[in-house]
Amino acid sequence: MSGRKLLCAAIGALLAGSVAASADTIKVGIIGPFSGPFALQGKNFQAGVEAYMALNGKSVKGHDIEVIYRDLPAANPQQSRALAQELVVKDKVQYLGGVYFTPDAMAITPLLTQANTPLVIFNAATSAIMTQSPLVVRTSFTTAQTTTPLGKIAVERGIKKVITAVSDYGPGIDAEVAFKKAFEAAGGQVVESVRMPLNTNDFSPIMQRVRDSKADAVFAFLPSGPTTLGFVKAYNETGLKQAGIKFLAPGDLTQESDLPALGDGALGLLTTFHYAVSHDSPENKKFVEAAAKAVGGIDQLSFPAVGAFDGMHVIYKMIEATDGKQDAQKAVNAVKGLAWTSPRGPVSIDSETRHITENIYLREVAKGADGKTYNKEIQTFPNQKDPGLPTP
């Protein structure tokens, strides 16, 4: 309790000492996995930020923008909270952004009101995060949002029975619930549900359960990174694909940076997602060129970059609306209802939930003329809100 009082006193002193007039430099603190097993996702955060600043400048209304990165290699709520405190109190950031894992976002939200600091989430995908603080805005997706269209698609493609296999944490449970609701509403049956610990890396027992379930397909969700690559490889290597058991998942499981390692074994896999590097639009071509340069090559580019790119767009609009003054609620209010054309397509910030409304695309892993595999968009579900959030 004494630690919390000290934090409140430090933040209070910071705010009391702040000048009401506009600042010359606005600091933005980005928390993400810049080392460790999920480092590529952090690199994509940074690539999205750098691409946005390269295309839109490094100042807003005369205020220079300084970005400060803090490394959180894996989900660690205690460390996440400590990093956010350090960024606010020591580094004096006016905006927080990034955050890859849901538990870390949940740990930061209690700090925001006292700190007078908005949090713009670039990835963490549990619906409930948005109910934790009025100062959170999200520019990524939720697993409920990317998963829901897949339930109807599965039934339309003749799939009647499915086993679900998800990581046992917020987004995984959201994905399981959303898929089951949509699939059963369309006439399908979920015959078994498996929840895997986040640290699972041997998926052969899971594949045996899939085979034993006699399901027509497996629906899966795991956080993007080494685990998703391992799961898809296990699906191929244990013969489930050859046995005719279909694979259904949100796009986390076929992120572009994993496709070379999956090879031809990924061909035909169906996913639904908010973004593919292959998306055909002028905005995406500009983004891909700038972000690929920042991340070190297009083969390293993945969806967290577009969440960061659009997150910086929101932060720039917040700074513009407040003219550099530290006023978190005014900043958030300014972007409610904000609409723009993202590299992923038309998007907007829902004025009630502060979550992004966006197209969700059905994609199939296909082989291009260059012989490389990619996510080919084959159907669009326009203007999807988050079905995991209550409608006011």
Side-chain angles (χ1 to χ4, degrees), residues 24-373:
D24 291 326
T25 299
I26 308 295
K27 294 181 179 180
V28 179
I30 307 296
I31 297 172
F34 301 106
S35 67
F38 296 94
L40 182 59
Q41 314 306 91
K43 283 178 64 178
N44 271 272
F45 275 179
Q46 188 165 354
V49 170
E50 291 180 2
Y52 188 84
M53 297 178 81
L55 293 173
N56 296 278
K58 298 181 180 180
S59 65
V60 180
K61 294 183 73 172
H63 307 292
D64 293 332
I65 309 302
E66 179 184 347
V67 179
I68 300 172
Y69 295 96
R70 289 290 179 266
D71 184 24
L72 188 66
N76 186 328
Q78 186 175 359
Q79 188 182 359
S80 174
R81 182 184 177 94
L83 290 173
Q85 290 172 356
E86 178 183 296
L87 283 164
V88 169
V89 176
K90 181 182 175 184
D91 297 301
K92 298 179 172 56
V93 302
Q94 286 185 223
Y95 298 88
L96 290 169
V99 192
Y100 192 69
F101 290 106
T102 286
D104 302 322
M106 292 291 201
I108 294 170
T109 54
L111 306 176
L112 302 178
T113 297
Q114 179 69 27
N116 192 24
T117 304
L119 169 63
V120 179
I121 292 176
F122 295 174
N123 188 73
T126 299
S127 297
I129 296 170
M130 307 308 294
T131 67
Q132 303 302 300
S133 170
L135 298 180
V136 179
V137 178
R138 181 161 46 198
T139 57
S140 52
F141 60 97
T142 67
T143 47
Q145 190 177 25
T146 57
T147 296
T148 294
L150 201 51
K152 185 179 179 184
I153 290 165
V155 172
E156 288 174 348
R157 290 178 172 249
I159 295 169
K160 296 177 181 178
K161 295 182 178 181
V162 167
I163 178 173
T164 64
V166 304
S167 292
D168 191 8
Y169 78 129
I173 295 167
D174 279 0
E176 175 194 289
V177 170
F179 177 80
K180 183 176 182 180
K181 181 179 178 181
F183 184 56
E184 291 183 343
Q189 178 189 1
V190 173
V191 296
E192 188 178 348
S193 295
V194 180
R195 293 182 180 178
M196 304 171 285
L198 264 176
N199 61 356
T200 302
N201 53 35
D202 178 8
F203 298 106
S204 52
I206 306 297
M207 298 305 152
Q208 188 59 50
R209 289 181 68 175
V210 172
R211 187 183 293 275
D212 292 345
S213 74
K214 307 298 183 186
D216 303 316
V218 56
F219 167 81
F221 174 83
L222 304 90
S224 288
T227 50
T228 49
L229 178 59
F231 189 94
V232 179
K233 289 182 77 172
Y235 165 79
N236 285 324
E237 291 170 0
T238 54
L240 295 188
K241 184 176 183 180
Q242 294 86 338
I245 299 171
K246 304 296 185 186
F247 180 95
L248 306 168
D252 313 70
L253 277 83
T254 61
Q255 64 171 339
E256 282 79 2
S257 53
D258 284 347
L259 290 179
L262 294 172
D264 287 354
L267 290 172
L269 297 185
L270 291 175
T271 59
T272 45
F273 217 38
H274 63 296
Y275 177 68
V277 173
S278 63
H279 182 70
D280 187 13
S281 73
E283 293 81 10
N284 192 47
K285 285 181 171 64
K286 287 174 63 178
F287 164 73
V288 167
E289 182 179 358
K293 183 178 179 181
V295 82
I298 194 169
D299 60 325
Q300 299 290 297
L301 191 59
S302 189
F303 66 90
V306 81
F309 185 89
D310 287 331
M312 288 304 292
H313 181 72
V314 166
I315 290 170
Y316 270 43
K317 290 298 182 183
M318 289 176 167
I319 294 169
E320 185 179 304
T322 56
D323 195 19
K325 299 180 180 68
Q326 187 156 0
D327 186 337
Q329 193 60 64
K330 183 177 180 180
V332 170
N333 289 344
V335 299
K336 291 179 178 179
L338 178 68
W340 70 101
T341 302
S342 158
R344 71 188 93 176
V347 298
S348 61
I349 300 298
D350 186 278
S351 58
E352 299 291 341
T353 66
R354 292 162 281 106
H355 177 73
I356 196 165
T357 299
E358 58 194 335
N359 293 346
I360 301 299
Y361 305 94
L362 173 64
R363 306 104 52 82
E364 181 177 17
V365 178
K367 186 172 285 191
D370 59 359
K372 295 181 179 178
T373 51

